């Protein structure tokens, strides 16, 4: 018999840790390969950890509410035989996705002794270098908890979600305070204020409790909605947003699409949408202006080689951003097909991790709701997002002074001003405009 360790997987790009929300097994349970072991929450996705092996759970090395870095061992399984089995494919039980696990070494890790309850310090402790998990920060904001007054039960005194829940339930919530020194000598220096952790400096202050009146409806915040909120807050706080808009005359494009849509639907089985034309135009322009396909990385800017277009797909209570990989290499038909397939997956709750990772630039079809002008929040860590607004009829002055009703669409670009400036963004938008205005039956084929 051999012991295999299951580790915390990386559940998305730039995700460095995950929180064990709920264990689905206990020591002594027999599990089969691919059986879910635990529910995990990150600031991007919610997922289940599937078993890489068939065997018996020997030990759970993480507690519910504990946040662990990617690669940390979460549990161990006793299996028959010594050969290591290959990792499983993604499970389809999760509404977003599950992760493919890498098994740890065949050695049982000794659990570190932990304090049974969090300790509220009598003296403020410097927390300059400590980073808190999204779950801990969220609870601290909601309940006005001074994290610098707590010594957690996690490794190295790390504060876990379970620590805060115990304090909240006990009503023992510490608030910020500054220790005063005894008046022994008038020359004694006053205490230096404790610096707030870097992660807290970027966090929105907790909102005051809102009064509930007759007829009000309380809607619990779902895990997906919380993940969306956290990512949007991070983008707004870290990224200096700038914005520009350009009008585009798509009269010829509209006529071309309308002339082929019925035949296309009958032949292919799905709709040829305006949005597919816009995604294709953006992908082509990104190839010509690769700086738009970049990301900020503190001491450098990473210009991405692949052009992977993220598209926003909404459900009644959530927003997902699946990715069209290598969009510049696909035809309009290929893009339209992938848009349709990804939208079906989102609404059926069958998106896999591979469907949402790798995006380098986002195009959002806000025009589907009738919007004519909007400012998008950048899909972190990308450098820009383009909002495609509703196509509307407008009177336009043509060469020679004649007026005519034309189909006009606004393209609204939000950009990360650390990476991009107005010059390159203006050239990029103008190129997208040029491609779209020249799209007609004679110049472009959807196949």
């Amino acid at each position: 018999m051999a012991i295999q360790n299951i580790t915390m997987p990386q559940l998305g790009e730039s995700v460095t840790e995950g929180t064990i929300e709920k264990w689905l097994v206990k020591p002594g349970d027999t599990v089969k390969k691919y059986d879910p072991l635990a529910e995990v929450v990150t600031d991007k996705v919610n997922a289940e950890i599937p078993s890489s092996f068939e065997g018996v759970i020997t030990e759970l090395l993480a507690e519910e509410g504990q946040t662990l870095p990617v690669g940390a061992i979460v549990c161990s399984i006793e299996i028959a035989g010594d050969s290591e089995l290959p990792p499983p494919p993604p499970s389809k039980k999760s509404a977003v996705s599950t992760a493919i696990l890498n098994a740890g070494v065949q050695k049982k890790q000794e659990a570190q002794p932990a304090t049974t309850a969090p300790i509220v310090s009598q003296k403020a402790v410097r927390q300059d270098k400590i980073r808190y998990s999204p779950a801990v920060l969220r609870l601290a904001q909601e309940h006005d908890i001074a994290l610098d007054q707590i010594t957690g039960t996690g490794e190295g005194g790390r504060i876990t979600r379970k620590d805060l829940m115990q304090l909240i339930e006990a009503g023992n919530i510490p608030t910020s305070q500054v220790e005063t020194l005894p008046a022994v000598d008038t020359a004694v220096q006053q205490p230096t204020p404790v610096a707030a952790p870097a992660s807290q400096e970027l966090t929105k202050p907790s909102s005051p409790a809102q009064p509930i009146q007759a007829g009000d409806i309380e809607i619990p915040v779902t895990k997906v909605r919380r993940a969306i909120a956290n990512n949007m807050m991070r983008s707004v706080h870290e990224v200096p947003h700038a914005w520009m808009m350009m009008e585009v005359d798509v009269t010829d494009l509209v006529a071309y699409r309308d002339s082929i849509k019925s035949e296309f639907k009958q032949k292919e089985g799905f709709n040829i949408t305006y949005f597919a034309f816009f995604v294709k135009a953006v992908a082509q322009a990104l190839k010509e202006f690769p700086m738009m396909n970049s990301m900020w990385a503190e001491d450098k800017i990473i210009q991405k080689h692949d052009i992977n277009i993220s598209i926003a797909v909404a459900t009644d209570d959530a927003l997902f951003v699946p990715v069209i990989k290598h969009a510049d290499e696909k035809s309009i038909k290929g893009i339209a097909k992938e848009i349709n397939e990804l939208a079906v997956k989102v609404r059926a709750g069958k998106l896999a991790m591979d469907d949402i990772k790798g995006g380098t630039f986002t195009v959002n079809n806000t025009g589907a709701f009738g919007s004519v002008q909007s400012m998008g929040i950048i899909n972190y860590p990308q450098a820009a997002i383009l909002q495609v607004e509703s196509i509307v009829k407008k009177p336009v002055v043509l060469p020679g002074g004649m007026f005519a009703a034309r189909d006009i669409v606004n393209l609204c670009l939000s950009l990360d001003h650390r990476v991009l400036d107005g010059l390159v963004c203006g050239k990029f938008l103008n190129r997208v405009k040029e491609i779209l205005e020249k799209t007609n039956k004679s110049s472009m084929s959807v196949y």
Side-chain angles (χ1 to χ4, degrees):
M1 306 292 280
I3 299 295
Q4 288 283 358
N5 294 320
I6 300 296
T7 60
M8 176 65 71
Q10 183 163 12
L11 299 170
E13 290 182 295
S14 75
V15 174
T16 59
E17 60 187 12
T19 301
I20 301 292
E21 181 76 4
K22 181 181 180 182
W23 278 109
L24 305 176
V25 295
K26 62 182 182 299
D29 284 356
T30 299
V31 295
K32 295 180 179 179
K33 192 178 178 183
Y34 310 145
D35 279 356
L37 303 177
E39 295 177 358
V40 178
V41 176
T42 75
D43 60 351
K44 287 186 179 291
V45 298
N46 308 310
E48 291 174 349
I49 300 179
S51 176
S52 301
F53 313 99
E54 182 172 347
V56 177
I57 301 295
T58 57
E59 188 173 5
L60 304 183
L61 299 173
E63 298 179 357
E64 290 184 356
Q66 185 175 355
T67 300
L68 300 170
V70 170
I73 298 174
V74 297
C75 71
S76 55
I77 300 176
E78 186 176 58
I79 64 172
D82 296 326
S83 61
E84 185 172 335
L85 300 178
S91 164
K92 294 184 178 180
K93 289 186 66 178
S94 171
V96 179
S97 67
T98 55
I100 298 177
L101 302 182
N102 293 318
V105 294
Q106 296 184 9
K107 181 179 179 182
K108 195 170 181 179
Q109 183 182 26
E110 294 297 326
Q112 296 295 324
T115 310
T116 56
I119 299 173
V120 179
S121 302
Q122 299 299 314
K123 181 178 180 179
V125 180
R126 287 190 65 86
Q127 302 281 317
D128 302 62
K129 304 297 183 183
I130 293 181
R131 295 179 62 228
Y132 302 109
S133 72
V136 167
L137 283 174
R138 182 167 67 248
L139 280 173
Q141 295 161 20
E142 291 174 353
H143 297 276
D144 195 22
I145 301 173
L147 294 175
D148 58 346
Q149 304 294 321
I150 301 172
T151 300
T153 62
E155 184 178 356
R158 187 180 179 89
I159 300 171
T160 68
R161 181 177 181 277
K162 188 174 181 180
D163 292 336
L164 298 192
M165 290 302 300
Q166 289 181 5
L167 293 175
I168 293 167
E169 291 169 1
N172 185 23
I173 298 178
T175 55
S176 299
Q177 58 183 4
V178 177
E179 180 185 26
T180 56
L181 299 179
V184 179
D185 189 337
T186 56
V188 174
Q189 283 188 322
Q190 293 302 309
T192 303
V194 178
S199 58
Q200 283 182 303
E201 292 172 1
L202 300 177
T203 306
K204 181 181 177 182
S206 56
S207 301
Q210 300 298 323
I212 304 299
Q213 300 176 347
D216 292 349
I217 299 174
E218 290 185 290
I219 302 173
V221 177
T222 63
K223 294 176 183 178
V224 173
R225 175 52 56 186
R226 178 65 67 184
I228 294 170
N230 289 340
N231 200 48
M232 292 299 98
M233 287 289 290
R234 183 176 187 181
S235 181
V236 168
H237 281 294
E238 292 189 22
V239 178
H241 283 61
W243 184 80
M244 63 171 57
M245 184 185 79
M246 195 168 288
E247 280 191 348
V248 181
D249 187 335
V250 289
T251 305
D252 289 346
L253 187 158
V254 169
Y256 175 38
R257 182 258 180 183
D258 287 350
S259 71
I260 64 171
K261 64 180 181 180
S262 297
E263 180 183 348
F264 186 93
K265 174 66 179 293
Q266 185 177 13
K267 180 179 178 181
E268 304 296 339
F270 56 90
N271 291 322
I272 179 71
T273 63
Y274 293 123
F275 191 51
F277 288 90
F278 288 109
V279 171
K280 179 62 178 177
V282 169
Q284 184 177 332
L286 286 174
K287 202 166 186 176
E288 299 174 28
F289 294 91
M291 197 62 190
M292 300 296 300
N293 204 47
S294 301
M295 297 180 182
W296 179 261
E298 296 303 334
D299 60 337
K300 56 186 173 289
I301 293 172
I302 300 173
Q303 193 175 103
K304 305 298 288 184
H305 175 267
D306 294 338
I307 295 176
N308 300 333
I309 305 294
S310 302
I311 60 171
V313 181
T315 62
D316 288 340
D317 60 353
L319 178 70
F320 298 92
V321 192
V323 177
I324 300 174
K325 307 287 179 60
H326 307 290
D328 57 313
E329 300 174 6
K330 292 180 167 66
S331 65
I332 294 174
K333 171 196 165 182
I335 291 173
K337 181 179 180 181
E338 199 156 342
I339 290 172
N340 180 71
E341 290 174 348
L342 290 171
V344 169
K345 281 186 177 182
V346 166
R347 285 156 191 152
K350 293 183 178 180
L351 272 184
M353 177 60 67
D354 190 58
D355 293 326
I356 64 173
K357 70 180 182 181
T360 60
F361 187 99
T362 297
V363 182
N364 190 9
N365 189 21
T366 44
F369 312 111
S371 170
V372 294
Q373 184 174 310
S374 61
M375 186 181 77
I377 297 176
I378 294 169
N379 184 17
Y380 187 94
Q382 297 171 17
I385 180 173
L386 184 70
Q387 312 277 95
V388 178
E389 304 296 345
S390 182
I391 298 173
V392 297
K393 290 283 187 182
K394 284 187 175 182
V396 175
V397 180
L398 300 178
M402 299 293 292
F403 281 88
R406 306 287 289 179
D407 293 297
I408 304 296
V409 63
N410 292 330
L411 301 182
C412 303
L413 180 73
S414 295
L415 57 113
D416 183 343
H417 224 323
R418 298 172 302 179
V419 180
L420 304 170
D421 296 316
L423 179 62
V424 66
C425 291
K427 288 181 176 180
F428 166 77
L429 262 188
N430 199 56
R431 180 57 180 143
V432 175
K433 170 187 172 79
E434 183 181 28
I435 294 169
L436 292 171
E437 290 187 341
K438 291 183 178 179
T439 298
N440 53 51
K441 189 172 185 178
S442 60
S443 69
M444 182 175 291
S445 171
V446 298
Y447 296 97

